[in-house]
């Protein structure tokens, strides 16, 4: 996730202080990706170092306001103009868990798959419920639409994970069947 670019995008609307940026980021993403305030200020420090933002002023409460610079606008424009690269597969904990479980004594890989499927299915139902609530509010623009898009991404990711788990289970069953010694009948599936 690009916190850097997210903060730059929020600063287009005008100068903001760190905790306001955090609140706006979480609101814009529907609370899906909560930020630690330390992440915000560390990122702002790097953006300032790189000339993307500048300290603008101090508000009435004494909080430092950060403003987008021309270099920051150019960086943000380049981010919007270029596709997100997905060059290599991310280190996915579930994939690692499954491949490690294949060679582990006393681990039923199919049970690992089933446990994950139950978990993801519950999460999918929750995402669908939250999406229905967001749709009921008739989001036409702004934060409502942003929240809806994030929720839909969560739904699609969960659906894809369930499909992959179904595929893994089918592959494991075929493998188990092929590994059966001759003369021993495998139960019907």
């Amino acid at each position: 996730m690009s916190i850097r670019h997210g903060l730059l995008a929020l600063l287009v609307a005008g100068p903001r202080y760190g905790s306001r940026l955090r609140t706006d980021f979480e609101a814009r993403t529907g609370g899906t990706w909560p930020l630690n305030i330390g992440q915000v200020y560390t990122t702002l420090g790097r953006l300032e170092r790189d000339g993307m933002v500048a300290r603008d002023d101090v508000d009435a409460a004494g909080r430092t306001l950060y403003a987008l610079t021309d270099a920051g606008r150019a960086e943000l424009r380049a981010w919007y103009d270029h596709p997100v690269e997905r060059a290599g597969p991310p280190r996915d904990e579930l994939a690692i868990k499954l491949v490690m479980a294949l060679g582990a004594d006393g681990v039923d890989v199919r049970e690992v798959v089933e446990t994950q499927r139950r978990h993801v299915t519950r999460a999918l139902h929750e995402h669908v419920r939250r999406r229905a609530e967001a749709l009921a509010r008739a989001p036409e623009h702004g934060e409502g639409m942003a929240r809806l898009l994030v929720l839909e991404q969560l739904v699609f990711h969960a659906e894809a994970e369930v499909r992959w788990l179904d595929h893994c289970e089918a592959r494991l069953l075929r493998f188990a069947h092929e590994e059966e010694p001759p003369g021993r009948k495998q139960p019907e599936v």
Side-chain angles (χ1 to χ4, degrees):
M1 170 180 49
S2 180
I3 296 169
R4 170 186 178 99
H5 292 102
L7 296 182
L8 291 174
L10 291 170
L11 287 169
V12 167
R16 288 188 169 78
Y17 53 91
S19 59
R20 170 76 189 273
L21 284 166
R22 176 181 162 224
T23 301
D24 290 350
F25 184 92
E26 290 177 359
R28 183 76 61 93
T29 61
T32 305
W33 298 293
L35 290 180
N36 176 303
I37 194 64
Q39 288 177 290
V40 173
Y41 281 107
T42 299
T43 303
L44 284 170
R46 289 183 186 134
L47 288 168
E48 186 178 22
R49 177 199 67 204
D50 296 343
M52 307 287 174
V53 302
R55 292 175 192 235
D56 185 57
D57 204 353
V58 176
D59 71 3
R63 296 175 291 218
T64 301
L65 298 173
Y66 292 86
L68 194 60
T69 65
D70 289 341
R73 288 181 198 288
E75 173 70 17
L76 186 59
R77 179 79 276 150
W79 183 57
Y80 285 136
D81 289 345
H82 291 88
V84 174
E85 290 291 330
R86 302 201 191 273
R91 286 190 187 141
D92 182 276
E93 184 177 353
L94 177 58
I96 293 168
K97 180 188 269 190
L98 291 180
V99 298
M100 295 300 164
L102 282 171
D105 288 335
V107 177
D108 182 348
V109 181
R110 289 180 287 188
E111 184 56 37
V112 174
V113 169
E114 185 53 36
T115 298
Q116 185 69 22
R117 182 185 295 112
R118 284 190 305 269
H119 170 75
V120 174
T121 300
R122 281 191 301 272
L124 175 59
H125 290 302
E126 179 62 18
H127 299 324
V128 168
R129 183 191 64 73
R130 290 173 54 207
R131 178 180 63 182
E133 288 173 357
L135 283 168
R137 290 188 213 110
E140 296 177 12
H141 54 77
E143 287 182 16
M145 182 57 70
R147 179 174 173 73
L148 181 60
L149 292 175
V150 169
L151 287 169
E152 288 174 334
Q153 183 199 33
L154 294 172
V155 167
F156 295 144
H157 278 273
E159 288 172 341
E161 186 168 317
V162 169
R163 283 193 317 273
W164 181 69
L165 289 166
D166 291 345
H167 172 79
C168 289
E169 182 177 52
R171 170 103 36 222
L172 289 166
L173 287 171
R174 281 193 304 274
F175 178 74
H177 181 68
E178 291 168 3
E179 293 291 311
E180 264 315 292
R184 193 163 165 216
K185 185 169 167 94
Q186 180 74 10
E188 294 284 328
V189 182

